[in-house]
Amino acid sequence: MANSASSTTLGSLPALMDSSFSPKSQTLRELAQQLRLYKPLPSTDDEDEIEERRIEENKGKVVSQVGFSESATSITHSERFRPKRAAVLICLFEDDAGDLRVILTRRSKRLSTHSGEVALPGGKAEAGDANDTETSLREAKEEIGLDPSLVNVVTVLEPFLSKHLLRVVPVIGILSNRQAFKPTPNVGEVEVIFDAPLEMFIKDENRTAEEREWMGHKYLIHFFDYETENKKFIIWGLTAGILIRAASIVYQRPPPFLEQNPNFGFLRSVTPNTILP
């Protein structure tokens, strides 16, 4: 999943969050405990879903204000844009030096969207997915061969909006056995699998930013330069934004730079063909 669906709560994760998960590392044990307590911030998505449920429950019915029986007359509602949902997996592990790292991919250049860009494993929700966690784990298995049994999901973050107006939910999981994970890229989707230090995303080193404007509101696109094993990567856009947020929560401190995300308050008035610049 590359470049900033449904709002997910911890209540949707009990089958996948193992409270008995107890890695050998004290750091990972404390991190899992800390993240299980995290509650995603309220968003306009929450209000939208409540409104959609209310509309669905009252579909085809009009209740009289003066006590008459319900009418079979349908209530008409104006159409508005509703973004499709997707989820990405922020899979964390501890390296030999005790630093937290996150698994990333570079997408295949043959893909029609976001080709050649750095991304977190993930993608669009499918009908059989019970929740955002299942979407992220299914996609990670398909893209990089990550067995879901190796990932202990500990929380989800607030939804982000992709360039093509997908509503993307980041799911944070901890890799329980680094040695058991044998990266296997799906060559149709993934060119390279690599990892990067999570803390990098709340540091000002190797970072640049560009100012963009959307519907009259200015926002920043962040770019992080990263090199490993003689390969150079640029981590930017939605992926960078999600990792800035994740690192801020994990390390419990904000970045030393301005984030300035787009204002999505006008989302209801856009069309499915609208994209962020």
Side-chain angles (χ1 to χ4, degrees):
M1 193 74 224
N3 289 354
S4 209
S6 159
S7 179
T8 305
T9 64
L10 295 184
S12 65
L13 304 177
L16 293 158
M17 292 178 64
D18 180 7
S19 60
S20 66
F21 170 68
S22 183
K24 294 179 181 179
S25 162
Q26 177 68 19
T27 300
L28 292 183
R29 286 199 299 272
E30 292 176 355
L31 176 62
Q33 184 177 14
Q34 169 197 325
L35 292 178
R36 286 191 188 105
L37 299 175
Y38 179 74
K39 299 273 193 302
L41 297 172
S43 70
T44 54
D45 294 327
D46 300 320
E47 296 174 4
D48 289 348
E49 288 207 348
I50 291 170
E51 176 64 12
E52 287 299 316
R53 284 199 299 271
R54 187 190 67 77
I55 291 172
E56 189 63 31
E57 288 167 2
N58 291 295
K59 204 173 199 177
K61 294 188 279 187
V62 175
V63 180
S64 169
Q65 296 295 314
V66 291
F68 294 123
S69 60
E70 294 178 349
S71 166
T73 305
S74 296
I75 300 174
T76 58
H77 298 280
S78 58
E79 292 295 321
R80 67 176 178 80
F81 173 67
R82 284 187 59 76
K84 292 182 180 179
R85 58 188 288 180
V88 293
L89 180 65
I90 303 171
C91 189
L92 304 177
F93 67 91
E94 194 175 34
D95 65 14
D96 294 336
D99 297 321
L100 285 175
R101 302 183 72 85
V102 59
I103 297 172
L104 294 163
T105 72
R106 182 155 63 196
R107 289 165 60 85
S108 168
K109 293 183 175 65
R110 292 176 288 181
L111 292 172
S112 59
T113 59
H114 307 298
S115 59
E117 294 181 8
V118 170
L120 290 155
K124 293 179 183 177
E126 294 185 356
D129 297 338
N131 50 42
D132 300 306
T133 295
E134 285 197 7
T135 298
S136 68
L137 293 175
R138 174 183 54 73
E139 287 283 341
K141 184 176 182 180
E142 292 174 6
E143 291 182 4
I144 64 175
L146 178 58
D147 186 336
S149 69
L150 296 177
V151 182
N152 183 260
V153 171
V154 287
T155 197
V156 297
L157 305 185
E158 305 78 18
F160 283 69
L161 203 66
S162 78
K163 179 177 180 178
H164 294 283
L165 304 189
L166 276 173
R167 192 166 58 185
V168 182
V169 174
V171 176
I172 299 183
I174 296 174
L175 188 61
S176 60
N177 187 338
R178 180 159 56 106
Q179 286 68 36
F181 172 44
K182 309 298 180 187
T184 309
N186 178 334
V187 294
E189 298 185 47
V190 173
E191 182 181 283
V192 179
I193 301 170
F194 69 104
D195 54 80
L198 182 66
E199 195 173 13
M200 175 176 75
F201 299 98
I202 50 170
K203 293 183 176 180
D204 218 2
E205 303 163 13
N206 305 318
R207 185 195 66 89
T208 56
E210 289 182 9
E211 188 176 74
R212 304 279 177 91
E213 187 172 310
W214 189 60
M215 301 189 79
H217 292 266
K218 294 180 180 180
Y219 66 98
L220 293 176
I221 295 285
H222 298 277
F223 299 79
F224 292 87
D225 293 314
Y226 181 63
E227 184 172 353
T228 180
E229 298 180 350
N230 297 318
K231 293 186 178 72
K232 294 183 179 180
F233 301 94
I234 299 176
I235 305 162
W236 68 287
L238 175 68
T239 300
I242 288 174
L243 291 172
I244 290 169
R245 179 65 182 154
S248 299
I249 292 166
V250 167
Y251 291 101
Q252 299 183 306
R253 67 177 190 271
F257 50 81
L258 184 65
E259 291 183 72
Q260 195 172 339
N261 294 317
N263 182 337
F264 299 127
F266 299 103
L267 185 58
R268 296 184 184 193
S269 61
V270 304
T271 70
N273 296 322
T274 303
I275 63 170
L276 286 169

